[in-house]
Amino acid sequence: MPYRRLIFFGAVAVALPACFLYGFLSGATRLPPYPWLTAIRQRLQASGDARFTAVPAEFANLDLHPLMRLASSTDVSARRAQITELLWHRPDVPHNRMPDRVERGVSDPRFADLKNLSRIDRLTVTMEYGVDSVVYLLHPLQARRGLVIYHEGHEGNGDIRQGKATVQFFLARGYTVAAFALPLLGENSRPVVALPTAGSLQLTLHQQFALLSGPEFTPLKFFVEPVVAVLNFAQDDETLAPIAMVGISGGGWVTELVAAVDPRITASYPVAGSLPIALRTPDEFWDWEEYAPELFAITNELEIYALGAVGAGRRQLQIFNQYDPCCFSGVRFRQYDTLVAQTVTQL
């Protein structure tokens, strides 16, 4: 019996300092369980906060109906043509735009542990000013069920490994996955450009794209054209139909805009992608692309949402995290979800 007590107290004497030390390191280095405990604390704090459980008073009486100007199929065609005209100076999506470089069967240790993976192709789309998009096309070993485009957001500098669990989810179920990062993030280029009135500038932030805008060019295409090029690349492969698109944060916004202009996206799932400008708080104006004046001179988010869902067999499901510590938390979507759904149904 004394030996058992000695062992017990000895174990306690060792365990307590070890637990204290790990707790200290967890708080200092953000190792687990720090992120889990932080998430629990934030949710407990938020659960009693009306900002997260009801539409805030400053937005509760907003009438967004006048912003929805799509009343007929003619309106849909016209608005889609206006957006594509802005992006490419033509009234329709450029179906002849292909990736500039195709590397088949590449080896990438970052994806070596993915299950049901047959082959990886790397596609590169290069655009004006040397801005490019490096896309990974991951083919399943069995059960080819269609193509899922996954678009990463700003987290982790846009590294597509941030979405590796999502890629694995679809790959395991037999979908081919095209994994994208936002322009200037991840493996994508950060070119140095020469501006006639400002000199040389290395592009590292999306806000800098505003300096490239002009009457003959809009850098908004940097977000959309790479996805269109991959859609064109995939269109002759029957195993890559139907096509769905999933994006998170900035990738969610790209998902909404691509689905609006290209009906080949039959199902779209933006996660924390955007809210209408009228429903945003002052600290929710981050990236230039989400409120580019060229785009909002033509349309608005409500119409973009509807364009992404309208058409036989098409749908869009927007996903928000109610207690999101980053982007578009709460339930403000209640101010427009019925309006958009009814518009799509009528159209």
Side-chain angles (χ1 to χ4, degrees), residues 200-258:
S200 295
L201 170 70
Q202 182 173 19
L203 299 176
T204 58
L205 301 171
H206 293 160
Q207 283 86 337
Q208 295 169 320
F209 283 159
L211 299 172
L212 310 181
S213 296
E216 299 300 323
F217 172 75
T218 172
L220 278 172
K221 68 177 290 186
F222 293 154
F223 298 88
V224 182
E225 186 166 304
V227 182
V228 169
V230 171
L231 290 176
N232 295 339
F233 179 79
Q235 65 186 1
D236 293 330
D237 189 338
E238 294 182 356
T239 68
L240 300 182
I243 301 171
M245 186 166 178
V246 179
I248 184 168
S249 188
W253 175 84
V254 176
T255 299
E256 292 165 356
L257 189 56
V258 172

Tab-separated table of all heavy atoms in Angstrom, residues 200-258:
chain	number	residue	atom	x	y	z
A	200	SER	N	7.738	51.241	-60.719
A	200	SER	CA	7.641	49.794	-60.544
A	200	SER	C	6.991	49.450	-59.208
A	200	SER	O	7.226	50.120	-58.198
A	200	SER	CB	9.027	49.147	-60.617
A	200	SER	OG	9.582	49.316	-61.906
A	201	LEU	N	6.212	48.386	-59.238
A	201	LEU	CA	5.479	47.963	-58.037
A	201	LEU	C	5.337	46.456	-58.073
A	201	LEU	O	4.937	45.883	-59.090
A	201	LEU	CB	4.088	48.615	-58.012
A	201	LEU	CG	3.099	48.101	-56.964
A	201	LEU	CD1	3.543	48.537	-55.574
A	201	LEU	CD2	1.693	48.605	-57.263
A	202	GLN	N	5.668	45.789	-56.967
A	202	GLN	CA	5.420	44.356	-56.874
A	202	GLN	C	4.015	44.136	-56.344
A	202	GLN	O	3.628	44.671	-55.296
A	202	GLN	CB	6.415	43.653	-55.955
A	202	GLN	CG	6.168	42.142	-55.922
A	202	GLN	CD	7.220	41.373	-55.175
A	202	GLN	OE1	7.969	41.943	-54.364
A	202	GLN	NE2	7.319	40.081	-55.439
A	203	LEU	N	3.240	43.343	-57.073
A	203	LEU	CA	1.863	43.064	-56.676
A	203	LEU	C	1.855	41.991	-55.592
A	203	LEU	O	2.255	40.851	-55.824
A	203	LEU	CB	1.049	42.591	-57.885
A	203	LEU	CG	0.924	43.574	-59.045
A	203	LEU	CD1	0.168	42.933	-60.208
A	203	LEU	CD2	0.239	44.862	-58.605
A	204	THR	N	1.409	42.378	-54.407
A	204	THR	CA	1.296	41.435	-53.294
A	204	THR	C	-0.071	41.506	-52.617
A	204	THR	O	-0.417	40.608	-51.860
A	204	THR	CB	2.370	41.711	-52.233
A	204	THR	OG1	2.232	43.063	-51.756
A	204	THR	CG2	3.769	41.516	-52.809
A	205	LEU	N	-0.830	42.559	-52.891
A	205	LEU	CA	-2.138	42.763	-52.271
A	205	LEU	C	-3.195	42.978	-53.344
A	205	LEU	O	-2.933	43.629	-54.363
A	205	LEU	CB	-2.119	43.983	-51.341
A	205	LEU	CG	-1.130	43.966	-50.177
A	205	LEU	CD1	-1.095	45.334	-49.503
A	205	LEU	CD2	-1.498	42.885	-49.180
A	206	HIS	N	-4.399	42.474	-53.105
A	206	HIS	CA	-5.473	42.653	-54.077
A	206	HIS	C	-5.848	44.122	-54.237
A	206	HIS	O	-6.292	44.546	-55.308
A	206	HIS	CB	-6.704	41.839	-53.664
A	206	HIS	CG	-6.467	40.369	-53.725
A	206	HIS	ND1	-7.237	39.454	-53.046
A	206	HIS	CD2	-5.533	39.636	-54.389
A	206	HIS	CE1	-6.793	38.241	-53.280
A	206	HIS	NE2	-5.756	38.326	-54.096
A	207	GLN	N	-5.682	44.927	-53.189
A	207	GLN	CA	-5.986	46.348	-53.300
A	207	GLN	C	-5.151	47.015	-54.386
A	207	GLN	O	-5.575	48.001	-54.999
A	207	GLN	CB	-5.738	47.044	-51.948
A	207	GLN	CG	-6.821	46.803	-50.916
A	207	GLN	CD	-6.597	45.521	-50.129
A	207	GLN	OE1	-5.914	44.619	-50.593
A	207	GLN	NE2	-7.184	45.437	-48.945
A	208	GLN	N	-3.963	46.481	-54.651
A	208	GLN	CA	-3.097	47.070	-55.676
A	208	GLN	C	-3.651	46.883	-57.081
A	208	GLN	O	-3.266	47.614	-57.996
A	208	GLN	CB	-1.697	46.446	-55.581
A	208	GLN	CG	-0.979	46.764	-54.280
A	208	GLN	CD	0.281	45.927	-54.106
A	208	GLN	OE1	0.296	44.741	-54.423
A	208	GLN	NE2	1.339	46.548	-53.601
A	209	PHE	N	-4.561	45.911	-57.244
A	209	PHE	CA	-5.158	45.712	-58.563
A	209	PHE	C	-5.890	46.960	-59.034
A	209	PHE	O	-6.035	47.173	-60.242
A	209	PHE	CB	-6.130	44.529	-58.530
A	209	PHE	CG	-5.475	43.176	-58.549
A	209	PHE	CD1	-6.163	42.062	-58.099
A	209	PHE	CD2	-4.186	43.014	-59.015
A	209	PHE	CE1	-5.568	40.803	-58.117
A	209	PHE	CE2	-3.568	41.767	-59.038
A	209	PHE	CZ	-4.269	40.655	-58.581
A	210	ALA	N	-6.375	47.764	-58.102
A	210	ALA	CA	-7.096	48.983	-58.491
A	210	ALA	C	-6.211	49.907	-59.321
A	210	ALA	O	-6.717	50.694	-60.135
A	210	ALA	CB	-7.606	49.715	-57.245
A	211	LEU	N	-4.903	49.829	-59.144
A	211	LEU	CA	-3.979	50.666	-59.913
A	211	LEU	C	-3.862	50.212	-61.357
A	211	LEU	O	-3.361	50.943	-62.205
A	211	LEU	CB	-2.589	50.644	-59.266
A	211	LEU	CG	-2.509	51.186	-57.832
A	211	LEU	CD1	-1.126	50.929	-57.255
A	211	LEU	CD2	-2.828	52.671	-57.807
A	212	LEU	N	-4.328	48.999	-61.650
A	212	LEU	CA	-4.219	48.459	-62.998
A	212	LEU	C	-5.484	48.670	-63.813
A	212	LEU	O	-5.516	48.345	-64.992
A	212	LEU	CB	-3.914	46.951	-62.935
A	212	LEU	CG	-2.764	46.510	-62.035
A	212	LEU	CD1	-2.593	44.997	-62.119
A	212	LEU	CD2	-1.470	47.217	-62.412
A	213	SER	N	-6.530	49.146	-63.184
A	213	SER	CA	-7.811	49.294	-63.869
A	213	SER	C	-7.726	50.366	-64.940
A	213	SER	O	-6.991	51.341	-64.825
A	213	SER	CB	-8.916	49.643	-62.868
A	213	SER	OG	-9.099	48.597	-61.954
A	214	GLY	N	-8.516	50.187	-65.989
A	214	GLY	CA	-8.575	51.161	-67.065
A	214	GLY	C	-9.731	50.851	-67.975
A	214	GLY	O	-10.439	49.849	-67.790
A	215	PRO	N	-9.971	51.676	-68.977
A	215	PRO	CA	-11.123	51.466	-69.855
A	215	PRO	C	-11.044	50.185	-70.678
A	215	PRO	O	-12.071	49.679	-71.130
A	215	PRO	CB	-11.094	52.705	-70.766
A	215	PRO	CG	-9.667	53.185	-70.710
A	215	PRO	CD	-9.205	52.880	-69.326
A	216	GLU	N	-9.844	49.638	-70.882
A	216	GLU	CA	-9.701	48.442	-71.717
A	216	GLU	C	-9.404	47.186	-70.905
A	216	GLU	O	-9.154	46.122	-71.491
A	216	GLU	CB	-8.574	48.660	-72.741
A	216	GLU	CG	-8.821	49.818	-73.691
A	216	GLU	CD	-10.101	49.625	-74.501
A	216	GLU	OE1	-10.398	48.478	-74.872
A	216	GLU	OE2	-10.786	50.636	-74.749
A	217	PHE	N	-9.414	47.295	-69.596
A	217	PHE	CA	-8.988	46.148	-68.802
A	217	PHE	C	-9.494	46.274	-67.370
A	217	PHE	O	-9.466	47.362	-66.795
A	217	PHE	CB	-7.463	46.060	-68.806
A	217	PHE	CG	-6.907	45.038	-67.859
A	217	PHE	CD1	-6.974	43.691	-68.149
A	217	PHE	CD2	-6.336	45.433	-66.667
A	217	PHE	CE1	-6.474	42.749	-67.269
A	217	PHE	CE2	-5.826	44.504	-65.790
A	217	PHE	CZ	-5.895	43.152	-66.089
A	218	THR	N	-9.977	45.189	-66.810
A	218	THR	CA	-10.320	45.170	-65.399
A	218	THR	C	-9.654	43.978	-64.734
A	218	THR	O	-9.781	42.838	-65.203
A	218	THR	CB	-11.842	45.105	-65.167
A	218	THR	OG1	-12.088	44.910	-63.759
A	218	THR	CG2	-12.472	43.957	-65.930
A	219	PRO	N	-8.891	44.196	-63.665
A	219	PRO	CA	-8.217	43.082	-62.991
A	219	PRO	C	-9.170	42.145	-62.267
A	219	PRO	O	-8.731	41.124	-61.738
A	219	PRO	CB	-7.274	43.782	-62.007
A	219	PRO	CG	-7.842	45.138	-61.820
A	219	PRO	CD	-8.520	45.496	-63.104
A	220	LEU	N	-10.474	42.423	-62.252
A	220	LEU	CA	-11.433	41.459	-61.714
A	220	LEU	C	-11.346	40.121	-62.449
A	220	LEU	O	-11.663	39.075	-61.891
A	220	LEU	CB	-12.858	42.010	-61.809
A	220	LEU	CG	-13.309	42.975	-60.718
A	220	LEU	CD1	-14.664	43.565	-61.070
A	220	LEU	CD2	-13.361	42.285	-59.362
A	221	LYS	N	-10.911	40.170	-63.694
A	221	LYS	CA	-10.806	38.932	-64.474
A	221	LYS	C	-9.770	37.987	-63.886
A	221	LYS	O	-9.816	36.779	-64.111
A	221	LYS	CB	-10.468	39.244	-65.928
A	221	LYS	CG	-9.073	39.804	-66.139
A	221	LYS	CD	-8.753	40.032	-67.616
A	221	LYS	CE	-8.585	38.727	-68.348
A	221	LYS	NZ	-8.143	38.917	-69.748
A	222	PHE	N	-8.797	38.523	-63.116
A	222	PHE	CA	-7.794	37.660	-62.507
A	222	PHE	C	-8.419	36.604	-61.603
A	222	PHE	O	-7.839	35.540	-61.392
A	222	PHE	CB	-6.803	38.493	-61.691
A	222	PHE	CG	-5.936	39.418	-62.505
A	222	PHE	CD1	-5.408	40.561	-61.929
A	222	PHE	CD2	-5.650	39.144	-63.828
A	222	PHE	CE1	-4.598	41.421	-62.659
A	222	PHE	CE2	-4.847	39.996	-64.578
A	222	PHE	CZ	-4.320	41.146	-63.985
A	223	PHE	N	-9.587	36.904	-61.041
A	223	PHE	CA	-10.249	35.980	-60.131
A	223	PHE	C	-11.106	34.949	-60.878
A	223	PHE	O	-11.288	33.835	-60.397
A	223	PHE	CB	-11.141	36.759	-59.156
A	223	PHE	CG	-10.391	37.716	-58.274
A	223	PHE	CD1	-10.133	39.014	-58.689
A	223	PHE	CD2	-9.934	37.312	-57.039
A	223	PHE	CE1	-9.431	39.896	-57.875
A	223	PHE	CE2	-9.229	38.182	-56.220
A	223	PHE	CZ	-8.970	39.478	-56.638
A	224	VAL	N	-11.632	35.328	-62.037
A	224	VAL	CA	-12.621	34.512	-62.732
A	224	VAL	C	-12.014	33.714	-63.884
A	224	VAL	O	-12.352	32.542	-64.091
A	224	VAL	CB	-13.768	35.401	-63.256
A	224	VAL	CG1	-14.834	34.568	-63.950
A	224	VAL	CG2	-14.386	36.197	-62.105
A	225	GLU	N	-11.124	34.323	-64.639
A	225	GLU	CA	-10.616	33.681	-65.849
A	225	GLU	C	-9.940	32.332	-65.603
A	225	GLU	O	-10.133	31.397	-66.402
A	225	GLU	CB	-9.664	34.629	-66.586
A	225	GLU	CG	-9.209	34.092	-67.930
A	225	GLU	CD	-8.545	35.165	-68.778
A	225	GLU	OE1	-9.190	36.209	-69.023
A	225	GLU	OE2	-7.393	34.947	-69.183
A	226	PRO	N	-9.148	32.162	-64.532
A	226	PRO	CA	-8.547	30.841	-64.314
A	226	PRO	C	-9.581	29.729	-64.162
A	226	PRO	O	-9.383	28.613	-64.677
A	226	PRO	CB	-7.732	31.030	-63.032
A	226	PRO	CG	-7.411	32.485	-63.007
A	226	PRO	CD	-8.626	33.157	-63.567
A	227	VAL	N	-10.697	30.008	-63.482
A	227	VAL	CA	-11.734	28.991	-63.319
A	227	VAL	C	-12.378	28.686	-64.669
A	227	VAL	O	-12.611	27.518	-65.012
A	227	VAL	CB	-12.796	29.448	-62.297
A	227	VAL	CG1	-13.843	28.350	-62.105
A	227	VAL	CG2	-12.152	29.800	-60.969
A	228	VAL	N	-12.645	29.705	-65.454
A	228	VAL	CA	-13.240	29.503	-66.781
A	228	VAL	C	-12.301	28.678	-67.652
A	228	VAL	O	-12.745	27.785	-68.393
A	228	VAL	CB	-13.560	30.863	-67.436
A	228	VAL	CG1	-13.919	30.690	-68.907
A	228	VAL	CG2	-14.702	31.551	-66.690
A	229	ALA	N	-11.004	28.943	-67.587
A	229	ALA	CA	-10.044	28.183	-68.387
A	229	ALA	C	-10.059	26.702	-68.013
A	229	ALA	O	-9.980	25.827	-68.890
A	229	ALA	CB	-8.633	28.757	-68.211
A	230	VAL	N	-10.180	26.403	-66.727
A	230	VAL	CA	-10.236	25.005	-66.293
A	230	VAL	C	-11.569	24.373	-66.710
A	230	VAL	O	-11.612	23.200	-67.097
A	230	VAL	CB	-10.009	24.901	-64.774
A	230	VAL	CG1	-10.282	23.488	-64.273
A	230	VAL	CG2	-8.583	25.311	-64.434
A	231	LEU	N	-12.659	25.118	-66.654
A	231	LEU	CA	-13.942	24.609	-67.145
A	231	LEU	C	-13.843	24.257	-68.625
A	231	LEU	O	-14.360	23.225	-69.071
A	231	LEU	CB	-15.043	25.646	-66.911
A	231	LEU	CG	-15.471	25.899	-65.473
A	231	LEU	CD1	-16.492	27.033	-65.416
A	231	LEU	CD2	-16.049	24.646	-64.844
A	232	ASN	N	-13.197	25.113	-69.394
A	232	ASN	CA	-13.018	24.836	-70.822
A	232	ASN	C	-12.157	23.589	-71.029
A	232	ASN	O	-12.431	22.768	-71.912
A	232	ASN	CB	-12.359	26.033	-71.508
A	232	ASN	CG	-13.236	27.274	-71.481
A	232	ASN	OD1	-14.450	27.196	-71.312
A	232	ASN	ND2	-12.618	28.431	-71.630
A	233	PHE	N	-11.122	23.457	-70.229
A	233	PHE	CA	-10.226	22.307	-70.312
A	233	PHE	C	-10.967	21.001	-70.020
A	233	PHE	O	-10.680	19.956	-70.603
A	233	PHE	CB	-9.074	22.502	-69.324
A	233	PHE	CG	-8.082	21.380	-69.276
A	233	PHE	CD1	-7.106	21.254	-70.247
A	233	PHE	CD2	-8.125	20.448	-68.250
A	233	PHE	CE1	-6.180	20.213	-70.199
A	233	PHE	CE2	-7.213	19.404	-68.196
A	233	PHE	CZ	-6.234	19.289	-69.172
A	234	ALA	N	-11.963	21.087	-69.114
A	234	ALA	CA	-12.674	19.884	-68.655
A	234	ALA	C	-13.910	19.560	-69.474
A	234	ALA	O	-14.484	18.478	-69.325
A	234	ALA	CB	-13.074	20.058	-67.185
A	235	GLN	N	-14.340	20.460	-70.347
A	235	GLN	CA	-15.671	20.327	-70.930
A	235	GLN	C	-15.826	19.123	-71.863
A	235	GLN	O	-16.943	18.629	-72.064
A	235	GLN	CB	-16.047	21.604	-71.670
A	235	GLN	CG	-15.198	21.931	-72.880
A	235	GLN	CD	-15.555	23.286	-73.467
A	235	GLN	OE1	-16.428	24.000	-72.970
A	235	GLN	NE2	-14.870	23.663	-74.537
A	236	ASP	N	-14.748	18.604	-72.410
A	236	ASP	CA	-14.849	17.452	-73.317
A	236	ASP	C	-14.700	16.109	-72.608
A	236	ASP	O	-14.773	15.060	-73.253
A	236	ASP	CB	-13.790	17.566	-74.423
A	236	ASP	CG	-14.052	18.739	-75.346
A	236	ASP	OD1	-15.241	19.088	-75.527
A	236	ASP	OD2	-13.077	19.308	-75.870
A	237	ASP	N	-14.504	16.134	-71.302
A	237	ASP	CA	-14.345	14.910	-70.523
A	237	ASP	C	-15.659	14.608	-69.812
A	237	ASP	O	-16.043	15.313	-68.881
A	237	ASP	CB	-13.205	15.077	-69.513
A	237	ASP	CG	-12.838	13.773	-68.817
A	237	ASP	OD1	-13.691	12.859	-68.783
A	237	ASP	OD2	-11.719	13.680	-68.289
A	238	GLU	N	-16.356	13.588	-70.240
A	238	GLU	CA	-17.667	13.266	-69.676
A	238	GLU	C	-17.590	12.889	-68.207
A	238	GLU	O	-18.577	13.029	-67.471
A	238	GLU	CB	-18.309	12.120	-70.473
A	238	GLU	CG	-18.657	12.491	-71.909
A	238	GLU	CD	-19.325	11.351	-72.648
A	238	GLU	OE1	-19.444	10.253	-72.062
A	238	GLU	OE2	-19.727	11.553	-73.821
A	239	THR	N	-16.434	12.416	-67.746
A	239	THR	CA	-16.315	12.054	-66.334
A	239	THR	C	-16.239	13.278	-65.437
A	239	THR	O	-16.317	13.151	-64.216
A	239	THR	CB	-15.065	11.185	-66.094
A	239	THR	OG1	-13.887	11.969	-66.305
A	239	THR	CG2	-15.051	9.984	-67.020
A	240	LEU	N	-16.086	14.472	-66.036
A	240	LEU	CA	-15.982	15.701	-65.252
A	240	LEU	C	-17.291	16.483	-65.249
A	240	LEU	O	-17.303	17.700	-65.032
A	240	LEU	CB	-14.838	16.566	-65.783
A	240	LEU	CG	-13.456	15.912	-65.727
A	240	LEU	CD1	-12.393	16.866	-66.237
A	240	LEU	CD2	-13.117	15.451	-64.319
A	241	ALA	N	-18.390	15.817	-65.488
A	241	ALA	CA	-19.712	16.435	-65.396
A	241	ALA	C	-20.560	15.609	-64.428
A	241	ALA	O	-20.418	14.386	-64.374
A	241	ALA	CB	-20.368	16.494	-66.772
A	242	PRO	N	-21.414	16.269	-63.653
A	242	PRO	CA	-21.650	17.711	-63.544
A	242	PRO	C	-20.529	18.429	-62.797
A	242	PRO	O	-19.623	17.786	-62.268
A	242	PRO	CB	-22.960	17.772	-62.769
A	242	PRO	CG	-22.913	16.562	-61.890
A	242	PRO	CD	-22.254	15.496	-62.726
A	243	ILE	N	-20.628	19.762	-62.755
A	243	ILE	CA	-19.582	20.577	-62.149
A	243	ILE	C	-20.169	21.378	-60.989
A	243	ILE	O	-21.167	22.086	-61.145
A	243	ILE	CB	-18.966	21.545	-63.173
A	243	ILE	CG1	-18.363	20.745	-64.344
A	243	ILE	CG2	-17.899	22.417	-62.525
A	243	ILE	CD1	-17.936	21.613	-65.506
A	244	ALA	N	-19.544	21.261	-59.836
A	244	ALA	CA	-19.924	22.046	-58.660
A	244	ALA	C	-18.731	22.877	-58.225
A	244	ALA	O	-17.584	22.582	-58.577
A	244	ALA	CB	-20.376	21.128	-57.523
A	245	MET	N	-18.990	23.924	-57.461
A	245	MET	CA	-17.901	24.777	-56.979
A	245	MET	C	-18.123	25.107	-55.516
A	245	MET	O	-19.228	25.468	-55.104
A	245	MET	CB	-17.805	26.059	-57.816
A	245	MET	CG	-16.604	26.920	-57.467
A	245	MET	SD	-16.297	28.211	-58.720
A	245	MET	CE	-14.892	29.054	-57.986
A	246	VAL	N	-17.038	24.978	-54.743
A	246	VAL	CA	-17.035	25.263	-53.319
A	246	VAL	C	-15.906	26.238	-53.035
A	246	VAL	O	-14.792	26.056	-53.538
A	246	VAL	CB	-16.812	23.968	-52.496
A	246	VAL	CG1	-16.776	24.279	-51.007
A	246	VAL	CG2	-17.865	22.933	-52.814
A	247	GLY	N	-16.186	27.266	-52.265
A	247	GLY	CA	-15.130	28.209	-51.910
A	247	GLY	C	-15.345	28.756	-50.521
A	247	GLY	O	-16.480	28.840	-50.045
A	248	ILE	N	-14.258	29.127	-49.864
A	248	ILE	CA	-14.349	29.663	-48.515
A	248	ILE	C	-13.746	31.061	-48.467
A	248	ILE	O	-12.728	31.334	-49.100
A	248	ILE	CB	-13.656	28.725	-47.501
A	248	ILE	CG1	-13.853	29.242	-46.072
A	248	ILE	CG2	-12.183	28.540	-47.804
A	248	ILE	CD1	-13.474	28.251	-45.004
A	249	SER	N	-14.418	31.957	-47.751
A	249	SER	CA	-13.953	33.332	-47.574
A	249	SER	C	-13.789	33.994	-48.946
A	249	SER	O	-14.731	34.037	-49.732
A	249	SER	CB	-12.658	33.335	-46.765
A	249	SER	OG	-12.281	34.643	-46.420
A	250	GLY	N	-12.586	34.479	-49.266
A	250	GLY	CA	-12.381	35.079	-50.580
A	250	GLY	C	-12.672	34.115	-51.703
A	250	GLY	O	-13.143	34.509	-52.774
A	251	GLY	N	-12.412	32.822	-51.474
A	251	GLY	CA	-12.771	31.810	-52.464
A	251	GLY	C	-14.273	31.644	-52.589
A	251	GLY	O	-14.779	31.266	-53.655
A	252	GLY	N	-15.000	31.927	-51.504
A	252	GLY	CA	-16.465	31.915	-51.570
A	252	GLY	C	-16.982	33.037	-52.444
A	252	GLY	O	-17.935	32.854	-53.214
A	253	TRP	N	-16.340	34.200	-52.351
A	253	TRP	CA	-16.743	35.320	-53.214
A	253	TRP	C	-16.477	34.971	-54.683
A	253	TRP	O	-17.315	35.249	-55.557
A	253	TRP	CB	-15.978	36.585	-52.830
A	253	TRP	CG	-16.254	37.718	-53.756
A	253	TRP	CD1	-17.306	38.592	-53.710
A	253	TRP	CD2	-15.489	38.085	-54.912
A	253	TRP	NE1	-17.232	39.470	-54.766
A	253	TRP	CE2	-16.136	39.188	-55.508
A	253	TRP	CE3	-14.316	37.587	-55.482
A	253	TRP	CZ2	-15.639	39.794	-56.655
A	253	TRP	CZ3	-13.829	38.188	-56.624
A	253	TRP	CH2	-14.477	39.292	-57.199
A	254	VAL	N	-15.323	34.359	-54.975
A	254	VAL	CA	-15.027	33.943	-56.348
A	254	VAL	C	-16.072	32.936	-56.821
A	254	VAL	O	-16.532	32.991	-57.970
A	254	VAL	CB	-13.611	33.348	-56.447
A	254	VAL	CG1	-13.353	32.832	-57.862
A	254	VAL	CG2	-12.561	34.372	-56.073
A	255	THR	N	-16.470	32.023	-55.948
A	255	THR	CA	-17.502	31.042	-56.290
A	255	THR	C	-18.789	31.730	-56.717
A	255	THR	O	-19.422	31.346	-57.713
A	255	THR	CB	-17.766	30.117	-55.080
A	255	THR	OG1	-16.559	29.414	-54.759
A	255	THR	CG2	-18.874	29.118	-55.375
A	256	GLU	N	-19.189	32.761	-55.988
A	256	GLU	CA	-20.426	33.478	-56.317
A	256	GLU	C	-20.321	34.161	-57.677
A	256	GLU	O	-21.260	34.090	-58.490
A	256	GLU	CB	-20.716	34.507	-55.217
A	256	GLU	CG	-21.078	33.878	-53.890
A	256	GLU	CD	-21.006	34.834	-52.723
A	256	GLU	OE1	-20.600	36.010	-52.916
A	256	GLU	OE2	-21.334	34.422	-51.592
A	257	LEU	N	-19.188	34.800	-57.951
A	257	LEU	CA	-19.053	35.548	-59.199
A	257	LEU	C	-18.935	34.611	-60.402
A	257	LEU	O	-19.542	34.853	-61.450
A	257	LEU	CB	-17.839	36.478	-59.123
A	257	LEU	CG	-17.685	37.473	-60.277
A	257	LEU	CD1	-18.928	38.346	-60.427
A	257	LEU	CD2	-16.439	38.340	-60.088
A	258	VAL	N	-18.171	33.521	-60.256
A	258	VAL	CA	-18.041	32.575	-61.361
A	258	VAL	C	-19.383	31.926	-61.677
A	258	VAL	O	-19.777	31.796	-62.855
A	258	VAL	CB	-16.985	31.492	-61.038
A	258	VAL	CG1	-16.993	30.408	-62.105
A	258	VAL	CG2	-15.599	32.106	-60.934
